[in-house]
């Protein structure tokens, strides 16, 4: 569909502008009037920019940052006293992501049609998580929607910060691994073969490291297609296995058992789990409902299964701390803190304290992991390059002895 750029004024007289995909100018005009805008101009985009926009919009999704910013904007506007629909219309006019804008317009139409905000959001589960919808529903019931939106945005920002810290900690080691593999492969495939003819013509006896390296180099150059085919085949089978419930469960279970990486994964999961659980229970959502929401948000299958069993046990009368202890996946410290919260009647506050505690622990784990991995990878890279250099230099020294004779 063609893209139309518009200029208009909202109900407050503030100038707004943007771009909309539509079948024609009449459809754009109707949509803007539905939002209460006074139209100044509507022009169809033409030229190369149209194709570039369509291409970028086709592959561009809706990021978590955009959803968090939306919650923050909506909460701020409602806290300032703006009605829900007016707040939405103001946000729609400022949203540049066409896909997200379409969803927001659909939500506005659903609200005008008599649905609540939580019901309208529930129709878009890929955009608005179960946690987001549950918090909005609780806010609607208690008449504190703006407070719930503030909590959602605060939790969202904490989640983004958590992901950023883990990502930044892993980027350098991963990059170093790929650079090491690239350098070693280049030396074996492109550099070493140039010395082979010289070594063979000299008739000198080649040392063991050189023979090993020549064998590896020859295998890589002659059977690279077979290596790629086997790698692709194994990758396909692995992906197929990971799509099964048993496969992804085993994968997540083995990740938790890995040294360092397993500890990091555990702390990330526990931090997220108790942060969301604390936000839900503090908002008045019953524990059983909160556990169901958390189960749908946590990605590690080991914890998903554990939470399912915990929910069943709690429903049967077992305390949350006892059910967590039986599951065997939660750290003893977390279980002890939950037990303390149950005894003192401050479970929601204790959930947030557990999240804060493991969030700090996560920082220590990230620093420890990076401080260990970086020198280890550098030493490994230096060892491989040194072995290759030694394998090349040893026969050269032998050649010098042959020429002297």
């Amino acid at each position: 569909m063609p893209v139309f750029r518009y200029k208009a004024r909202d109900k407050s007289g503030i100038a707004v502008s943007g771009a909309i995909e539509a079948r024609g100018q009449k459809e754009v005009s109707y949509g803007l009037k539905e939002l209460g805008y006074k139209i100044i101009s509507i022009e169809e985009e033409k030229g190369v920019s149209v194709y570039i926009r369509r291409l970028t919009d086709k592959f561009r999704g809706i990021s978590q940052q955009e959803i968090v910013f939306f919650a923050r904007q909506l909460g701020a506007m409602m806290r300032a006293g703006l009605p829900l629909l007016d707040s939405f219309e103001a946000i729609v006019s400022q949203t540049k992501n066409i896909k997200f804008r379409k969803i927001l317009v659909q939500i506005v139409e659903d609200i005008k049609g008599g649905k609540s905000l939580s019901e309208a959001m529930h129709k878009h589960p890929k955009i608005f998580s179960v946690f987001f919808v549950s918090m909005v529903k609780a806010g609607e019931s208690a008449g504190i929607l703006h407070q719930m939106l503030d909590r959602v945005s605060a939790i969202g920002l904490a989640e983004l910060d958590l992901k950023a810290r883990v990502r930044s900690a892993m980027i350098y080691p991963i990059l170093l691994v790929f650079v090491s593999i690239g350098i070693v492969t280049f030396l074996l495939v492109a550099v070493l073969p140039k010395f082979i003819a010289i070594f063979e013509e000299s008739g000198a006896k080649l040392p063991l490291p050189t023979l090993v390296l020549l064998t590896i180099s020859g295998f890589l150059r002659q059977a690279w297609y077979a290596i790629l085919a086997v790698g692709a085949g194994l990758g396909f089978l692995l992906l197929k296995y990971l799509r099964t419930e048993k496969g992804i469960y085993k994968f997540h279970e083995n990740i938790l058992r890995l040294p360092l990486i397993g500890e990091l994964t555990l702390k990330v999961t526990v931090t997220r789990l108790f942060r969301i659980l604390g936000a839900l229970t503090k908002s008045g959502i019953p524990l059983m409902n909160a556990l169901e929401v958390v189960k749908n948000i946590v990605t590690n299958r080991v914890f998903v299964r554990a939470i399912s069993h915990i929910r069943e046990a709690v429903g049967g009368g077992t305390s949350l701390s006892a059910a967590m202890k039986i599951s065997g996946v939660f750290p003893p410290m977390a279980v002890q803190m939950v037990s303390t919260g149950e005894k003192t009647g401050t479970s929601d506050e204790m959930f947030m304290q557990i999240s804060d505690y493991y969030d700090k622990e996560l920082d220590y784990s990230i620093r420890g992991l990076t401080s260990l991995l970086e020198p280890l990878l550098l030493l490994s890279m230096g060892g491989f390059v040194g072995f290759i250099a030694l394998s090349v230099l040893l026969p050269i020294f032998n050649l010098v002895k042959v020429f002297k004779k």
Side-chain angles (χ1 to χ4, degrees):
M1 286 193 295
V3 177
F4 295 88
R5 298 201 69 84
Y6 68 87
K7 291 181 181 179
R9 293 188 180 277
D10 62 14
K11 293 178 181 178
S12 304
I14 299 172
V16 294
S17 62
I20 297 177
E21 277 189 1
R23 296 182 183 86
Q25 287 191 4
K26 289 185 178 180
E27 187 176 331
V28 177
S29 177
Y30 176 78
L32 293 173
K33 286 177 181 177
E34 280 289 302
L35 294 173
Y37 291 170
K38 292 183 179 179
I39 300 167
I40 298 173
S41 65
I42 301 173
E43 295 179 358
E44 183 180 352
E45 276 194 351
K46 294 181 179 179
V48 180
S49 61
V50 178
Y51 297 102
I52 295 173
R53 177 186 289 276
R54 286 177 182 173
L55 187 64
T56 54
D57 288 341
K58 184 177 180 180
F59 294 102
R60 184 185 178 188
I62 300 170
S63 67
Q64 190 177 354
Q65 288 95 327
E66 289 174 303
I67 297 168
V68 170
F69 185 61
F70 158 74
R72 198 173 188 178
Q73 274 186 307
L74 187 59
M77 289 180 180
M78 295 193 68
R79 190 168 57 253
L82 267 71
L84 179 61
L85 281 174
D86 289 348
S87 301
F88 254 95
E89 288 168 359
I91 293 171
V92 168
S93 67
Q94 299 171 23
T95 303
K96 295 181 179 180
N97 188 321
I98 292 177
K99 289 182 181 178
F100 195 27
R101 188 190 300 134
K102 284 181 178 178
I103 290 170
L104 295 180
V105 169
Q106 288 174 16
I107 290 173
V108 170
E109 292 173 355
D110 286 338
I111 293 172
K112 287 180 178 179
K115 291 184 181 294
S116 65
L117 176 58
S118 59
E119 289 173 336
M121 285 182 167
H122 185 67
K123 292 172 65 177
H124 308 280
K126 292 183 178 179
I127 308 302
F128 302 105
S129 66
V130 181
F131 166 68
F132 199 147
V133 175
S134 299
M135 292 288 283
V136 168
K137 190 174 181 179
E140 290 171 332
S141 301
I144 50 171
L145 182 57
H146 65 283
Q147 292 182 23
M148 293 301 165
L149 288 167
D150 288 342
R151 288 183 189 176
V152 169
S153 64
I155 295 292
L157 288 170
E159 291 279 290
L160 289 172
D161 178 64
L162 181 64
K163 288 181 180 178
R165 280 183 287 154
V166 175
R167 191 184 301 116
S168 63
M170 299 307 296
I171 282 176
Y172 181 72
I174 291 172
L175 183 62
L176 196 58
V177 167
F178 279 103
V179 169
S180 301
I181 293 171
I183 290 172
V184 171
T185 304
F186 174 75
L187 291 173
L188 289 174
V189 175
V191 177
L192 193 62
K194 295 179 180 179
F195 291 92
I196 292 176
I198 300 172
F199 296 156
E200 289 177 347
E201 289 176 4
S202 67
K205 185 179 179 181
L206 298 178
L208 181 61
T210 308
L211 290 173
V212 171
L213 206 60
L214 288 176
T215 304
I216 295 172
S217 176
F219 179 72
L220 289 175
R221 286 184 292 110
Q222 295 174 12
W224 62 268
Y225 54 89
I227 295 170
L228 288 178
V230 170
L234 291 174
F236 173 76
L237 292 174
L238 179 61
L239 288 175
K240 191 175 181 180
Y241 178 65
L242 291 177
R243 287 176 182 172
T244 64
E245 186 60 33
K246 181 182 177 181
I248 194 65
Y249 181 87
K250 284 291 183 184
F251 177 72
H252 286 162
E253 188 178 43
N254 290 326
I255 289 249
L256 289 171
R257 289 175 179 172
L258 290 174
L260 297 177
I261 300 294
E263 182 185 355
L264 190 68
T265 304
L266 176 66
K267 288 176 180 177
V268 168
T269 306
V270 170
T271 300
R272 292 189 67 236
L273 188 153
F274 281 103
R275 180 182 288 144
I276 293 169
L277 190 61
L280 291 168
T281 52
K282 194 173 183 179
S283 303
I285 295 172
L287 179 60
M288 292 292 287
N289 295 348
L291 287 171
E292 182 64 26
V293 172
V294 170
K295 187 187 78 172
N296 293 322
I297 291 174
V298 173
T299 54
N300 189 290
R301 288 294 195 277
V302 175
F303 276 89
V304 170
R305 187 177 294 184
I307 294 168
S308 295
H309 294 158
I310 288 168
R311 191 170 180 273
E312 290 175 7
V314 171
T318 307
S319 67
L320 178 61
S321 58
M324 284 184 169
K325 187 176 181 180
I326 293 168
S327 71
V329 299
F330 289 90
M333 174 68 76
V335 175
Q336 184 61 43
M337 291 176 76
V338 170
S339 178
T340 303
E342 289 174 329
K343 291 173 183 177
T344 58
T346 56
S347 290
D348 53 348
E349 294 179 10
M350 197 58 70
F351 293 154
M352 298 306 293
Q353 287 184 31
I354 294 170
S355 175
D356 292 340
Y357 173 79
Y358 280 98
D359 193 38
K360 291 176 182 177
E361 285 289 308
L362 182 62
D363 274 336
Y364 299 140
S365 296
I366 288 172
R367 289 173 194 167
L369 182 65
T370 52
S371 63
L372 179 66
L373 280 180
E374 288 177 12
L376 186 64
L377 290 172
L378 285 171
L379 284 172
S380 300
M381 183 178 176
F384 280 121
V385 174
F387 177 76
I388 293 171
L390 183 67
S391 302
V392 172
L393 291 173
L394 282 176
I396 290 176
F397 293 148
N398 289 344
L399 283 176
V400 172
K401 292 178 182 177
V402 170
F403 291 148
K404 284 183 178 179
K405 292 178 181 180

